[in-house]
Amino acid sequence: MLLPLAWGSLLFPGLFGLCAWGLRRARPAWTHNDCVLISTRLVSSVQAVLATGSGIIIIRSCSHVITDRHWLAREYVWFLIPYMIYDSYAMYLCEWYRTRDQSSKHPLTIFRNFLSKNRLMITHHAVILFVLVPVAQLKQQHTLLYKVNGILTLTTFFSCRILLFPFMYWSYGQQQGLSLLQVPFHIPFYCNVANAFLIAPQIYWFSLLCKKAVRLFDAPPAKKDG
């Protein structure tokens, strides 16, 4: 736990500072805002490559999508915590450099604008820090928070990845004056085939999520050691 946390705390701020310093020396004509913005993008790219590589390793090492576990999935969450904290600060730093020449803006106004413009990204980071980490690391699979999160996952997955297809057919039917059941017979055959190929894995993955949810709600609370 402490080792990936320490590595992340050193890597992301250190890489950001090194990139910003190097860009200032290599491109003296660039503004501070340009250097900070590009340095932030470079560090984010490094994090994306590391996350993708970790995901590939985990996928190739696990044979069962539900029951298998990999140490990298656990340790990478701790490695991710410093990045989320760093990235929140880096986003604010970009906003500050971008607006610092506007003398009419008070620092508090800049901060409010930052929160307003980046509310979704800040929410994303906060959820990872305060929800994902406790759920993934602190063995809280039997808590109410974990179960509520599971219900929300099932609901959003079903709504956005499965109901999307009949909704598209319904929308087309409304436009053409057709019922939902008539739509498949009034569109090109290859459209139906393509949609079938797209929805099939979604239904399979949803069934796996449902099976995991059933086991979660049926399982008795974990007993504490000692």
Side-chain angles (χ1 to χ4, degrees):
M1 179 185 76
L2 293 179
L3 187 59
L5 196 64
W7 273 109
S9 300
L10 292 174
L11 174 64
F12 298 117
L15 183 60
F16 171 78
L18 184 63
C19 290
W21 176 80
L23 288 173
R24 286 296 296 167
R25 289 180 61 89
R27 295 290 188 269
W30 286 7
T31 65
H32 284 285
N33 182 45
D34 294 333
C35 295
V36 168
L37 184 62
I38 294 176
S39 299
T40 303
R41 298 294 183 267
L42 289 173
V43 176
S44 297
S45 299
V46 170
Q47 147 63 14
V49 171
L50 293 174
T52 302
S54 300
I56 292 173
I57 293 172
I58 294 169
I59 291 173
R60 292 177 62 88
S61 302
C62 297
S63 58
H64 198 286
V65 69
I66 296 178
T67 59
D68 283 359
R69 296 290 183 268
H70 195 281
W71 65 269
L72 190 55
R74 180 183 65 254
E75 298 300 325
Y76 197 85
V77 173
W78 292 108
F79 184 71
L80 193 63
I81 292 174
Y83 172 77
M84 291 299 167
I85 297 174
Y86 145 79
D87 195 49
S88 300
Y89 173 73
M91 288 191 297
Y92 172 73
L93 198 61
C94 290
E95 179 70 13
W96 185 82
Y97 271 112
R98 189 180 67 82
T99 59
R100 67 171 184 166
D101 294 332
Q102 302 175 16
S103 56
S104 60
K105 284 197 172 183
H106 190 273
L108 186 59
T109 303
I110 296 176
F111 184 70
R112 283 201 300 263
N113 290 340
F114 163 72
L115 293 179
S116 176
K117 292 179 180 178
N118 299 278
R119 63 171 68 93
L120 289 179
M121 187 62 72
I122 294 171
T123 301
H124 167 266
H125 285 26
V127 168
I128 288 179
L129 288 173
F130 300 112
V131 177
L132 174 63
V133 173
V135 168
Q137 299 297 329
L138 301 182
K139 307 300 182 183
Q140 296 189 8
Q141 288 86 346
H142 299 288
T143 63
L144 178 62
L145 175 62
Y146 189 91
K147 294 179 179 180
V148 170
N149 179 71
I151 293 173
L152 291 176
T153 300
L154 287 174
T155 303
T156 54
F157 191 99
F158 183 74
S159 301
C160 299
R161 293 199 174 194
I162 296 180
L163 284 185
L164 172 66
F165 291 90
F167 175 76
M168 290 192 300
Y169 278 62
W170 177 83
S171 298
Y172 180 81
Q174 291 294 303
Q175 188 178 42
Q176 301 296 324
L178 302 170
S179 68
L180 178 62
L181 297 178
Q182 290 175 320
V183 171
F185 303 101
H186 288 79
I187 62 176
F189 177 72
Y190 65 83
C191 290
N192 291 317
V193 174
N195 285 328
F197 273 106
L198 289 173
I199 197 174
Q202 312 300 331
I203 294 175
Y204 171 71
W205 291 329
F206 183 71
S207 68
L208 295 180
L209 289 174
C210 289
K211 290 178 182 178
K212 184 173 182 179
V214 169
R215 287 203 304 270
L216 173 64
F217 283 92
D218 286 345
K223 293 182 179 180
K224 295 181 180 181
D225 294 337

